[in-house]
């Protein structure tokens, strides 16, 4: 049968060229596609430029852009030239193909195929490698700017005695150049070898010589260049030992030389450098000798030396010299690491002060009670808990919200909890493009409350000092509209024909039209088209809601804006609002960091700054330009205006060489410290993330002696948050308090330490957090030198195990309410530590928690009361107060009554059998409690306390019975015993 499908036996079908109309259409579509792609690329560039110009930081954009462009073209051209020249040279050095072997005959068809396109192929290959190399180099713009603008630290490393700036600014750039050189050499060798093979310079199966003299000389020179670069790498590796990270028993993330580095690796690198130089010269010598014998021998020697000298020898030194006496061998290097780390993290002046820590109520209870009043401004309103209270009482409208964790500031000398009423578009009843971006554009007002007290006559609500919509109170008159905030993440189009909703009051809506100069003008059609592409919103092109005066606001979170205008800074996780000169200003702390400080141990900012609050609120995470660092300074204080988004950067650490370097790179972007307004300075504070990094380092680096540091015998840890169920670090707390030796309270940032893997308190750390104070940044580290005082988790367990607390919790659960534990504040007081914890109650159908109780602990005394005053009275037995637990008053010898295995003395016997039985049971319960405390078994301790309470109650009941009458003239010691035990 014939093939009717048009096969060999069927009819032929002629396929002609497309018609002119089709070709024109295809060409037009192709041009339009290219233009569309070009406009998309242009739109991204143009919108970035418009934004930077709108915030008056166009110099940051241009400096960064031109640096990237310069690096792209310089290194792209260098790589393209290196590869292209070697391909051209290999082609030019090709041998004449007079006698064609089978191998060459098979390659001939490839040569013929590329012959007409050799020039274009060469251009394509070189362009491809140039683009890749240029893009990689453009990413090194920070490294280039730090190298070219670097200033000295005026500190030298202890091994090579070079300025720290060499490691921080120079060495990273040299390593980039070296890596680029290696890449160029390898690509050139590969390209040249393939070209020589294609044109017969290199032969694999052909008889005779495997390579022509020209190919041998060409490739040997390229390999010689590679080996020469390896020699340079060996030399730089010597300095790299000072910033090398390694695992070490003494500390995690160890950086710097150890004994084996200084005595094995360092000389090995020097020897390998010399061998590599000789090997490179041997490769270069093939230009005259035309033989691979000596270079190959030299290269083999270098590889063997790298294995023996660079690997085996240091292992032998470590095994037979270091390990038998590691502590003594490593002691000098540990001392260098301690000194460098304390310097790099700003804790070199932190010195532990000896502190008793084992305070007891004692005979001077009234004096301690009086001292407790002025020891601190106890912040009972926990900013981590009262946000729902702010939300319920001051939200006013569903589309407003407060942050999950409120901020702590100071107003008129009062610790104040403050939050902004920001916009929450997710709560709008009707979501559409106009509502989301034109009508609901801003939040309204700051709400503040006293940190130390609740409202009079309330059920535990905060005492608001600024409230309402619009707000009124102690903050005075200020611009209340919040266009820029932590929760404001969508763009808004304001100032045009479409009116905005300002706020609602008494059932009526107030409208507003933005009057600020912030944002990008959208009256220009090119701008509208560019943003329609960038924001993927075509309605921006034709919407009638956009017209004359319309401005686009975006990048609206404070941290986002600061990071954009200063991409060389690392941003603190917590931006906080403050009202200054009639404006709401966001304050953002920013850090300069490097990761090449010699001998300073590394830390990972994301891990070190994590605590129970960042677990709860991911928005409080640090924005890290370099997440792994070993040098940090709070060098910049930034502000962002909540109304017009104005960003200002102020110098804070005027001595920081890293900041000086960046100011050289971006002149005029950071204002002088003297330009900080006095009103703003009153609200600046010591940043939390820096403090968390420093406290984590101090868990080990409070030890300055190499021996104990190596043993880890005095290592500390940051305790877990006792108020949380998950194992996450307790956050530091802002608190106005007195430190030992001071006469007045100072706004401070505080934390506690416990011994490694133990719950007892080992130290207390506070830093002066008031930027207007002369002692700002001064640390107070109180090291407990006596006994084992209770740590935060132990105190929490003791407070929870109080019978009154248990009864309270049961009552609340019975009333369908939950008990929430506030921040457990620790305050030094008269050689001891006073713990204060507010307790909140929230009904399961109630929208917010209320402060109901306060628990207080001092020494081994623990009390629970309706308010702080009553709790302190009860604790120190003043104004009729009476603690519920046995006293820890000193006995006649002056020693406190602490758990003691040898303390088994029983109370005098009673002639009342029921009373005697109750006393014996009470003594047994006390002994059980002591044993439980020794084992840190808090469940057993709680059971023992219940037994004790039951025995005491039975003893009290027995006392009401008529005691047995004694015989006339009988022993009266029974009466004395009954009085003592009654």
């Amino acid at each position: 049968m014939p093939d009717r499908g048009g096969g060999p036996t069927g009819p032929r079908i002629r396929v002609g060229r497309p018609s002119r109309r089709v070709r024109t259409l295809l060409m037009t579509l192709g041009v339009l596609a290219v233009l569309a792609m070009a406009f998309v690329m242009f739109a991204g560039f143009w919108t970035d430029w418009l934004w930077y110009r709108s915030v008056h930081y166009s110099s940051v954009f241009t400096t960064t852009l031109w640096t990237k462009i310069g690096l792209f073209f310089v290194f792209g051209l260098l790589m393209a030239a290196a590869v292209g020249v070697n391909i051209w040279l290999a082609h030019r050095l090709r041998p004449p193909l007079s006698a064609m072997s089978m191998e060459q005959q098979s390659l001939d068809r490839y040569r013929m195929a590329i012959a007409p396109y050799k020039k274009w192929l060469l251009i394509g290959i070189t362009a491809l490698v140039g683009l890749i190399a240029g893009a990689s180099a453009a990413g090194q713009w920070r490294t280039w700017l730090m190298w070219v603008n670097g200033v000295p630290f005026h500190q030298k490393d202890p091994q090579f005695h070079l300025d720290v700036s060499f490691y921080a600014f120079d060495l990273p750039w040299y390593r980039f150049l070296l890596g680029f050189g290696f890449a160029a050499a390898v690509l050139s060798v590969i390209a040249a070898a393939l070209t020589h093979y294609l044109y017969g310079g290199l032969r694999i199966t052909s008889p005779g010589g495997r390579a022509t003299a020209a190919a041998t000389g060409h490739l040997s020179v390229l390999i010689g260049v590679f080996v020469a670069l390896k020699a340079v790498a060996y030399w730089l590796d010597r300095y790299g030992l000072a910033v090398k990270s390694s695992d070490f028993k003494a500390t995690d993330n160890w950086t710097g030389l150890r004994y084996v580095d200084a005595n094995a690796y360092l000389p090995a690198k020097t020897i390998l450098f010399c061998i590599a130089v000789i090997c490179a010269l041997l490769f270069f010598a093939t230009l005259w000798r035309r033989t691979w014998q000596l270079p190959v021998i030299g290269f083999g020697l270098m590889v063997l030396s790298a294995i023996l000298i660079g690997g085996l020898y240091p292992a032998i030194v470590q095994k037979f010299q270091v390990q038998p006496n590691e502590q003594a061998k490593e002691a000098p290097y540990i001392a260098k690491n301690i000194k460098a780390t304390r310097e790099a993290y700003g804790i070199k002046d932190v010195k532990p002060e000896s502190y008793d820590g084992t305070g007891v109520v004692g005979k001077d209870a009234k004096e301690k009670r009086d001292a407790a009043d002025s020891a601190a401004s106890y912040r009972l309103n926990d900013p981590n808990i009262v946000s729902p209270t702010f939300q319920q009482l001051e939200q006013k409208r569903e589309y407003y919200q407060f942050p999950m964790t409120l901020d702590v500031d100071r107003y008129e000398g009062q610790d104040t909890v403050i939050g902004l009423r920001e916009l929450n578009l997710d709560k709008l009843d009707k979501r559409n493009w106009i509502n989301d971006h034109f009508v609901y554009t801003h939040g309204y007002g700051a709400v503040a409350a006293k940190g130390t007290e609740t409202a009079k006559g309330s059920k535990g609500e905060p005492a608001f000092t600024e409230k309402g919509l619009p707000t009124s109170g102690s903050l005075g008159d200020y611009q209340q509209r919040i266009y820029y905030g932590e929760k404001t993440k969508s763009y808004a189009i304001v100032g045009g024909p479409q009116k905005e909703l300002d706020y609602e009051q008494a059932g009526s809506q107030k409208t507003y039209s933005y009057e600020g100069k912030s944002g990008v003008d959208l009256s220009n059609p090119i701008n509208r088209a560019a943003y329609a592409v960038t924001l993927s919103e075509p309605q921006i092109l034709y919407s009638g809601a956009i017209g004359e005066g319309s401005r686009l606001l975006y990048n609206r979170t404070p941290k986002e804006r600061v990071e954009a205008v200063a991409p060389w800074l690392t941003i603190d996780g917590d931006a906080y609002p403050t009202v200054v000169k009639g404006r709401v200003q966001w304050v953002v702390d920013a850090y300069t960091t490097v990761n090449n400080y010699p001998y300073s141990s590394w830390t990972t900012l994301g891990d070190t700054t994590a605590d129970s609050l960042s677990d709860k609120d991911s928005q409080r995470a640090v924005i890290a330009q370099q997440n792994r660092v070993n040098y940090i300074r709070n060098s910049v204080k930034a502000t962002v205006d909540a109304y017009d988004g104005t960003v200002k950067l102020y110098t804070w650490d005027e001595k920081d060489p890293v900041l000086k370097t960046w100011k050289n790179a971006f002149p005029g972007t950071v204002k002088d410290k003297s330009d900080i307004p006095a009103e703003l300075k009153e609200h600046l504070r010591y940043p939390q993330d820096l403090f968390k990094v420093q406290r984590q380092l101090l868990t080990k680096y409070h030890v300055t002696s190499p021996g104990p540091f190596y043993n880890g015998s005095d290592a500390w840890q940051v305790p877990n948050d006792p108020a949380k169920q998950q194992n996450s670090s307790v956050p530091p707390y802002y608190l106005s308090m007195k430190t030992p030796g001071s006469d007045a309270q100072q706004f401070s940032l505080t934390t506690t330490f416990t011994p490694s893997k133990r719950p007892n308190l080992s130290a207390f750390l506070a830093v002066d957090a008031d930027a207007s104070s002369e002692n700002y940044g001064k640390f107070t580290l109180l090291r407990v030198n006596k006994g084992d005082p209770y740590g935060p988790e132990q105190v929490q367990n003791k407070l929870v195990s109080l019978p009154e607390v248990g009864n309270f919790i049961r009552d609340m659960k019975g009333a369908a309410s939950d008990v929430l534990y506030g921040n457990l504040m620790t305050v030094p007081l008269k050689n001891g530590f006073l713990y204060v914890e507010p307790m909140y109650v929230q009904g399961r159908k109630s929208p917010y928690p209320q402060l109901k109780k306060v628990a207080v602990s001092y020494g081994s005394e623990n009390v629970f009361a309706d308010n702080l005053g009553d709790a302190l009275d009860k604790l120190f037995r003043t104004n009729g107060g009476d603690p519920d637990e046995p006293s820890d008053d000193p006995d006649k010898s002056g020693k406190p009554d602490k758990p003691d295995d040898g303390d088994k003395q029983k109370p005098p016997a009673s002639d009342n059998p029921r009373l005697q039985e109750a006393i014996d049971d009470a003594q047994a319960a006390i002994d059980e409690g002591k044993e439980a405390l020794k084992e840190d078994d808090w469940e057993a301790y709680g059971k023992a306390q219940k037994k004790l309470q039951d025995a005491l109650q039975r003893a009290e009941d027995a006392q009401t019975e008529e005691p047995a009458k004694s015989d006339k003239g009988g022993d009266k010691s029974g009466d004395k015993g009954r009085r003592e035990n009654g």
Side-chain angles (χ1 to χ4, degrees):
M1 296 292 292
D3 184 359
R4 299 184 184 276
T9 60
R12 292 177 178 270
I13 299 177
R14 295 178 59 87
V15 180
R17 297 177 62 190
S19 65
R20 178 176 300 224
R21 180 179 297 178
V22 173
R23 293 199 306 269
T24 302
L25 178 61
L26 291 175
M27 186 176 295
T28 302
L29 291 176
V31 171
L32 290 176
V34 171
L35 290 176
M37 292 176 61
F39 186 77
V40 170
M41 296 174 63
F42 166 77
F45 162 80
W46 183 244
T47 53
D48 284 346
W49 161 252
L50 290 175
W51 187 84
Y52 275 96
R53 191 175 64 176
S54 72
V55 294
H56 308 294
Y57 281 90
S58 55
S59 62
V60 174
F61 178 79
T62 55
T63 299
T64 304
L65 178 64
W66 287 116
T67 302
K68 291 179 178 179
I69 291 175
L71 291 172
F72 176 85
F73 278 105
V74 169
F75 287 95
L77 289 174
L78 285 175
M79 182 64 77
V83 175
V85 166
N86 280 287
I87 292 176
W88 172 82
L89 185 60
H91 178 266
R92 183 166 183 175
L93 296 175
R94 68 190 183 280
L97 300 175
S98 55
M100 296 291 290
S101 64
M102 293 298 296
E103 181 183 19
Q104 292 303 315
Q105 289 179 18
S106 64
L107 291 174
D108 191 51
R109 57 176 176 172
Y110 296 107
R111 290 192 288 265
M112 293 178 63
I114 67 174
Y117 311 106
K118 285 191 294 186
K119 182 184 295 184
W120 294 109
L121 188 60
L122 177 62
I123 292 173
I125 293 174
T126 55
L128 179 62
V129 297
L131 286 172
I132 296 173
S136 176
Q140 297 293 323
W141 64 272
R142 291 186 179 90
T143 307
W144 161 261
L145 288 176
M146 293 182 78
W147 178 68
V148 77
N149 294 288
V151 300
F153 277 66
H154 299 296
Q155 298 169 11
K156 295 184 178 181
D157 78 281
Q159 180 66 40
F160 302 101
H161 307 292
L162 296 174
D163 191 90
V164 171
S165 60
F166 170 80
Y167 302 93
F169 307 141
D170 300 344
L171 190 58
W173 178 250
Y174 297 153
R175 282 177 165 169
F176 164 72
L177 292 178
L178 189 62
F180 178 84
F182 276 127
V186 170
L187 290 175
S188 296
V189 169
I190 294 173
L194 289 175
T195 306
H196 280 299
Y197 175 70
L198 182 63
Y199 288 98
L202 292 177
R203 295 181 291 276
I204 298 176
T205 61
S206 301
R210 299 297 185 186
T212 63
T216 299
H218 185 195
L219 294 176
S220 63
V221 169
L222 291 178
I223 297 174
V225 170
F226 178 86
V227 176
L229 291 173
K230 187 61 180 175
V232 177
Y234 281 133
W235 188 258
L236 288 181
D237 285 346
R238 298 169 67 254
Y239 304 111
L241 293 173
V243 292
K244 184 193 72 171
S245 180
S246 61
D247 295 330
F248 186 34
K249 176 183 177 180
T251 180
D252 297 331
N253 299 319
W254 169 277
T255 302
L257 286 85
R258 291 158 52 192
Y259 181 90
V260 69
D261 298 313
N263 295 277
Y265 280 111
L266 186 57
K269 297 292 184 183
T270 305
I271 294 172
L272 290 173
F273 164 76
C274 296
I275 294 175
V277 169
I278 295 172
C279 187
L281 293 176
L282 291 176
F283 274 104
F284 293 145
T286 57
L287 286 173
W288 295 274
R289 293 181 56 86
R290 303 296 185 180
T291 176
W292 289 88
Q293 185 175 5
L294 286 179
V296 169
I297 293 174
F299 189 79
L301 176 62
M302 187 179 73
V303 173
L304 182 62
S305 299
I307 296 173
L308 296 179
I309 302 176
L312 185 59
Y313 174 63
I316 293 173
V317 171
Q318 178 69 23
K319 180 69 175 179
F320 296 102
Q321 290 191 31
V322 178
Q323 288 186 3
N325 193 16
E326 188 173 41
Q327 180 175 333
K329 294 289 186 181
E330 301 289 8
Y333 305 97
I334 293 175
K336 295 174 184 179
N337 175 268
I338 293 173
K339 181 179 179 182
T341 302
R342 289 171 61 89
E343 172 65 38
Y345 289 95
I347 54 176
K348 67 174 183 178
D349 295 327
V350 180
K351 298 179 180 179
E353 302 177 19
S354 184
Y355 188 74
D356 191 314
T358 57
V360 294
V361 173
K363 295 180 179 179
D364 55 349
K366 186 177 186 309
E367 180 183 348
K368 290 177 180 176
R369 173 65 182 89
D370 294 339
D373 283 334
S374 60
S377 296
Y378 305 96
R379 185 173 34 74
L380 300 179
N381 285 316
D382 186 348
N384 313 316
I385 290 183
V386 299
S387 178
T389 308
F390 275 53
Q391 191 80 5
Q392 179 64 25
L393 300 181
E394 289 298 322
Q395 180 186 22
K396 303 303 182 184
R397 295 292 180 269
E398 284 294 318
Y399 48 80
Y400 290 133
Q401 69 175 341
F402 291 93
M404 294 177 64
T405 300
L406 301 174
D407 289 290
V408 178
D409 202 347
R410 293 142 294 146
Y411 290 91
E412 300 177 354
Q414 170 78 246
D415 286 7
T416 302
V417 179
I418 187 171
L420 298 188
R421 188 186 288 117
E422 296 190 49
L423 195 63
N424 183 6
L425 294 176
D426 293 333
K427 295 295 185 179
L428 289 181
D429 293 333
K430 187 176 181 180
R431 297 290 302 274
N432 55 54
W433 189 62
I434 294 295
N435 278 347
D436 287 0
H437 303 291
F438 291 83
V439 178
Y440 296 91
T441 58
H442 58 276
Y444 211 98
V447 176
K450 293 181 179 180
T452 56
E453 59 187 79
T454 58
K456 294 181 179 179
S458 72
K459 297 180 180 180
E461 291 85 1
F464 289 104
T465 58
E466 183 79 14
K467 62 181 181 177
L469 181 66
T471 66
S472 60
S474 62
L475 299 182
D477 295 331
Y478 64 98
Q479 174 56 262
Q480 298 191 19
R481 297 173 180 89
I482 311 299
Y483 282 89
Y484 295 88
E486 289 184 298
K487 303 294 184 180
T488 315
K489 297 182 179 179
S490 64
Y491 66 88
I493 300 176
V494 298
Q498 176 67 51
K499 292 293 184 181
E500 309 164 47
L501 172 66
D502 205 20
Y503 60 89
E504 296 182 62
Q505 190 177 58
S508 64
Q509 293 187 344
K510 308 292 183 180
T511 60
Y512 180 72
S513 185
Y514 185 67
E515 299 175 354
K517 301 300 181 183
S518 180
V520 178
D521 183 14
L522 286 184
S523 59
N524 186 323
I526 296 179
N527 293 355
R528 292 177 68 169
Y531 279 106
V533 171
T534 303
L535 299 176
S536 301
E537 183 48 71
Q539 294 187 75
I540 294 177
L541 274 174
Y542 53 79
S543 174
I546 302 176
E548 191 65 30
S550 292
R551 307 185 72 82
L552 174 66
L553 313 182
Y554 67 108
N555 288 351
R556 298 170 70 188
T557 66
K559 293 191 290 185
E560 190 177 31
R561 294 178 77 79
V562 174
E563 185 189 27
V565 303
W568 36 273
L569 289 173
T570 298
I571 310 303
D572 189 271
D574 182 29
Y576 59 96
T578 185
V579 179
V580 178
K581 286 189 172 182
R583 308 283 285 201
V584 176
Q585 298 282 350
W586 288 98
V587 179
V588 181
D589 284 288
Y591 309 110
T592 50
T593 61
V594 297
N595 54 10
N596 279 316
Y597 194 100
Y599 275 97
S600 174
S601 289
W602 301 68
T603 188
T604 303
L605 295 181
D607 296 336
T608 309
T609 58
D611 58 26
S612 61
L613 295 188
S614 57
D615 293 342
K616 172 185 175 184
D617 187 357
S618 60
Q619 187 169 308
R620 297 174 70 89
V622 64
I623 299 178
Q625 182 259 314
Q626 288 182 355
N627 196 37
R628 197 180 185 206
V629 305
N630 64 355
Y631 172 93
I632 186 170
R633 290 290 186 273
N634 176 213
S635 297
V636 174
K637 301 281 188 181
T639 61
V640 177
D641 192 287
Y643 180 74
D644 62 21
T646 300
V647 181
K648 294 182 180 179
L649 307 176
Y650 296 102
T651 299
W652 187 247
D653 189 341
E654 296 176 302
K655 297 179 180 179
D656 178 30
V658 183
L659 178 60
K660 292 178 182 178
T661 296
W662 287 118
K663 289 175 73 172
N664 289 341
F666 297 95
T669 57
V670 184
K671 299 177 180 293
D672 293 336
K673 188 174 184 178
S674 58
D675 292 332
I676 300 177
E679 296 86 349
L680 173 62
K681 197 171 183 179
E682 292 177 358
H683 296 278
L684 300 181
R685 66 190 193 188
Y686 200 87
Q688 293 187 67
D689 283 342
L690 176 61
F691 185 76
K692 285 188 279 190
V693 171
Q694 291 170 324
R695 74 171 179 177
Q696 186 62 44
L697 268 295
L698 283 171
T699 58
K700 293 183 178 179
Y701 286 90
H702 67 279
V703 179
T704 56
S705 177
F709 187 91
Y710 174 85
N711 293 327
S713 57
D714 195 23
W716 299 340
Q717 66 184 10
V718 177
N720 292 327
D721 190 342
K724 307 297 180 184
Q725 295 296 327
Q726 70 272 22
N727 292 328
S728 52
S729 299
V730 62
Y733 296 130
Y734 288 105
L735 190 67
S736 291
M737 54 167 286
K738 290 182 181 179
T739 53
S742 62
D743 298 327
Q745 293 182 12
Q746 193 64 47
F747 189 67
S748 304
L749 189 55
T750 67
T751 192
T752 54
F753 296 105
T754 59
S756 180
K757 300 180 181 179
R758 292 183 59 204
N760 301 91
L761 188 68
S762 59
F764 172 84
L765 179 69
V767 63
D768 190 331
D770 185 355
S772 60
S773 168
E774 294 181 356
N775 294 321
Y776 171 83
K778 181 181 178 181
F779 285 87
T780 299
L781 179 58
L782 303 179
R783 179 195 181 102
V784 175
N785 64 2
K786 188 176 181 181
D788 290 315
Y790 298 116
E793 292 180 276
Q794 290 177 310
V795 170
Q796 177 74 13
N797 289 333
K798 288 181 62 181
L799 294 175
V800 172
S801 66
L802 288 175
E804 312 97 287
V805 176
N807 294 334
F808 177 70
I809 294 175
R810 283 193 296 272
D811 292 343
M812 292 301 101
K813 287 185 177 180
S817 298
D818 294 322
V819 176
L820 305 178
Y821 303 105
N823 39 215
L824 181 62
M825 292 168 283
T826 309
V827 178
L829 178 68
K830 296 290 185 179
N831 294 325
F833 290 99
L834 177 67
Y835 290 91
V836 177
E837 182 175 44
M839 292 188 181
Y840 299 80
V841 171
Q842 182 171 3
R844 292 167 192 167
K845 295 184 179 180
S846 173
Y848 63 92
Q850 297 172 312
L851 179 62
K852 289 297 184 181
K853 298 285 185 176
V854 178
V856 179
S857 176
Y858 186 79
S860 60
E861 297 276 8
N862 309 278
V863 299
F864 184 65
D866 292 332
N867 55 65
L868 179 61
D870 290 349
L872 293 175
D873 288 341
K874 193 174 181 180
L875 178 71
F876 295 107
R877 305 182 186 87
T878 56
N879 297 331
D882 183 22
D884 296 318
E885 286 193 347
S887 171
D888 60 354
D889 285 354
D891 57 16
K892 294 181 180 180
S893 64
K895 297 181 180 179
D897 181 16
K898 294 184 177 180
D900 186 355
D901 291 341
D903 185 13
K904 299 293 183 181
Q905 183 178 358
K906 296 183 178 181
S910 170
D911 54 4
N912 185 332
R914 291 188 60 194
L915 177 60
Q916 184 60 50
E917 180 183 4
I919 293 173
D920 292 341
D921 290 344
Q923 183 61 47
I926 291 174
D927 294 339
E928 288 180 17
K930 291 177 181 180
E931 291 298 323
L933 283 176
K934 290 173 60 179
E935 300 296 329
D936 286 332
D937 187 344
W938 295 103
E939 182 179 357
Y941 179 79
K943 293 179 180 179
Q945 293 302 303
K946 290 180 181 179
K947 292 181 181 179
L948 176 61
Q949 292 298 321
D950 177 70
L952 293 177
Q953 182 62 49
R954 287 190 285 112
E956 183 177 353
D957 293 341
Q959 282 183 301
T960 61
E961 297 180 357
E962 184 69 23
K965 295 182 180 180
S966 59
D967 295 335
K968 184 177 181 180
D971 186 7
K972 298 180 181 180
S973 61
D975 292 335
K976 180 179 179 182
R978 287 192 294 273
R979 288 195 299 271
E980 290 178 349
N981 289 285

